[in-house]
Amino acid sequence: EILRLNGDASGAHKVEISAATEIDGNLTLADADTMILGTTAGRTSRIANIDRDLTMTNDDLNQDIVFVGNKGGTPTEILRLLGETNTTRVLDILEVRNTINDENGAKLDLKKLRPGAPQDNDELAVINVTGKNSSLDEEEFAKIRMTAKEVADGSEQGTIEFWVRNAGASTYKIMDMTTTADSTVTVTGHMDVKGDLSANRFIFRNAIIPETAGQQTIGTEEKEWGDL
């Protein structure tokens, strides 16, 4: 038996194909119908048209939905939707392309929308970079973190933070915008500027004094402030 057409008194109909079958033409399902793959309870997958949306469902607990393409003659996983972690995994490159003939560019829109009331300092988005160390352990090497420092209506304030890893320790915040002080870029550590550094004014937290007390020069000839 290869094909069974089944119907019951309530009008529900089912087509069962129990062997590999080639369909030469179109297989059309009505709007309310569902294509079910598999027969084991709790381990089936379904493709259906729900509210005019094409919906794919994997009923197997914590299992994924995988898209495979033919790359150079080899079946290759291109996209995986992870059911357990709610993660979208893309092979190699994620390209966001805008081909609309207008002045707008491509856009990556990251949203954090709490179902409840938002809180000050909520983390809104993180771009995290992970790689392997020499022991083949996965480690976080850098990240960009964005927060909502102030969420009051009319006084909203956001921050951007840049984190890096150094000397094997966990990532630390090397620079932030508005986190440490409002409307201020704060750098932790050193800043090496290869070009010009221009400002309306410079404010030094500590007094500039001669290298040797009682002399009239500041610094040395080879360094900044030499012979000032």
Side-chain angles (χ1 to χ4, degrees):
E1 179 181 295
I2 295 177
L3 178 66
R4 177 186 293 268
L5 306 178
N6 188 17
D8 56 27
S10 65
H13 304 286
K14 180 170 62 175
V15 177
E16 296 179 352
I17 301 175
S18 56
T21 302
E22 179 178 339
I23 299 176
D24 186 7
N26 297 325
L27 176 61
T28 302
L29 303 178
D31 290 345
D33 290 339
T34 300
M35 178 183 292
I36 300 177
L37 308 177
T39 58
T40 303
R43 297 186 61 183
T44 59
S45 298
R46 291 173 284 132
I47 301 176
N49 189 332
I50 300 177
D51 294 330
R52 299 172 62 188
D53 295 326
L54 178 64
T55 304
M56 290 182 288
T57 304
N58 188 344
D59 294 316
D60 204 340
L61 180 64
N62 292 332
Q63 294 304 113
D64 307 336
I65 296 176
V66 182
F67 294 84
V68 177
N70 185 338
K71 184 178 181 180
T74 302
T76 303
E77 180 180 313
I78 304 298
L79 174 67
R80 179 179 290 265
L81 310 178
L82 284 76
E84 183 173 10
T85 59
N86 194 27
T87 302
T88 300
R89 180 184 297 164
V90 179
L91 173 68
D92 200 16
I93 299 174
L94 175 63
E95 178 181 297
V96 180
R97 180 182 297 188
N98 184 346
T99 59
I100 300 174
N101 186 24
D102 62 16
E103 69 279 6
N104 299 318
K107 183 178 181 181
L108 181 62
D109 199 355
L110 306 178
K111 293 185 178 182
K112 168 66 175 182
L113 304 176
R114 276 180 182 251
Q119 303 295 318
D120 288 347
N121 300 312
D122 270 354
E123 185 177 80
L124 301 183
V126 176
I127 301 175
N128 191 69
V129 180
T130 301
K132 288 185 177 181
N133 62 15
S134 59
S135 297
L136 302 183
D137 301 320
E138 287 192 15
E139 299 286 356
E140 178 185 83
F141 281 82
K143 67 181 176 182
I144 302 174
R145 183 174 179 265
M146 289 145 277
T147 74
K149 185 176 183 179
E150 172 64 60
V151 299
D153 186 18
S155 300
E156 298 90 340
Q157 192 172 40
T159 73
I160 301 178
E161 300 171 356
F162 297 85
W163 295 62
V164 295
R165 196 182 189 97
N166 188 35
S170 299
T171 53
Y172 75 98
K173 185 172 58 178
I174 191 171
M175 184 174 73
D176 72 66
M177 300 176 181
T178 305
T179 302
T180 303
D182 292 349
S183 301
T184 302
V185 177
T186 302
V187 178
T188 302
H190 308 290
M191 176 179 287
D192 186 2
V193 180
K194 300 299 184 183
D196 296 336
L197 185 61
S198 176
N200 290 334
R201 63 173 179 161
F202 288 94
I203 300 175
F204 297 91
R205 297 186 182 277
N206 298 310
I208 299 176
I209 59 177
E211 187 175 34
T212 302
Q215 294 188 359
Q216 290 77 31
T217 58
I218 296 176
T220 63
E221 293 183 3
E222 293 80 16
K223 296 184 178 181
E224 295 84 359
W225 308 107
D227 287 341
L228 180 64

